[in-house]
Amino acid sequence: RGLRPVSPASQAVADARGRAERPQSAAASRIIGISLQEAQQILNVSSLNPEEIQKNYDHLFKVNDKSVGGSFYLQSKVSAGRGR
């Protein structure tokens, strides 16, 4: 289910969010599906510090691993946040 195309409603929300961002950032939001602000919230970072992002990503990805009772959905969101 996580790999299905984005629904029209979700795409409309992403497009509306994208209009409030810079053009380059808006394009990235449409491609990845989340805004920069949402990515920062997912990864619990306030700045775009690569070391902090990687540290939080590693922790969140590990604790959400399905083999330890985590959620594949949350793990996917963490990956999307890092990608953004």
Side-chain angles (χ1 to χ4, degrees), residues 5-75:
V6 177
S7 72
S10 296
Q11 187 62 49
V13 170
D15 290 342
R17 185 182 326 131
R19 285 190 291 274
E21 300 174 5
R22 295 187 322 252
Q24 184 179 13
S25 183
S29 293
R30 281 191 300 276
I31 292 168
I32 296 175
I34 63 172
S35 69
L36 184 57
Q37 181 182 8
E38 184 180 2
Q40 287 179 292
Q41 288 175 341
I42 290 168
L43 294 173
N44 193 29
V45 295
S46 56
S47 65
L48 299 179
N49 178 341
E51 292 82 21
E52 183 181 11
I53 290 170
Q54 187 63 44
K55 178 182 156 213
N56 289 4
Y57 166 79
D58 290 339
H59 170 73
L60 291 168
F61 195 84
K62 182 178 178 182
V63 299
N64 286 298
D65 190 352
K66 195 168 184 173
S67 67
V68 295
S71 164
F72 179 73
Y73 172 77
L74 292 177
Q75 205 175 38

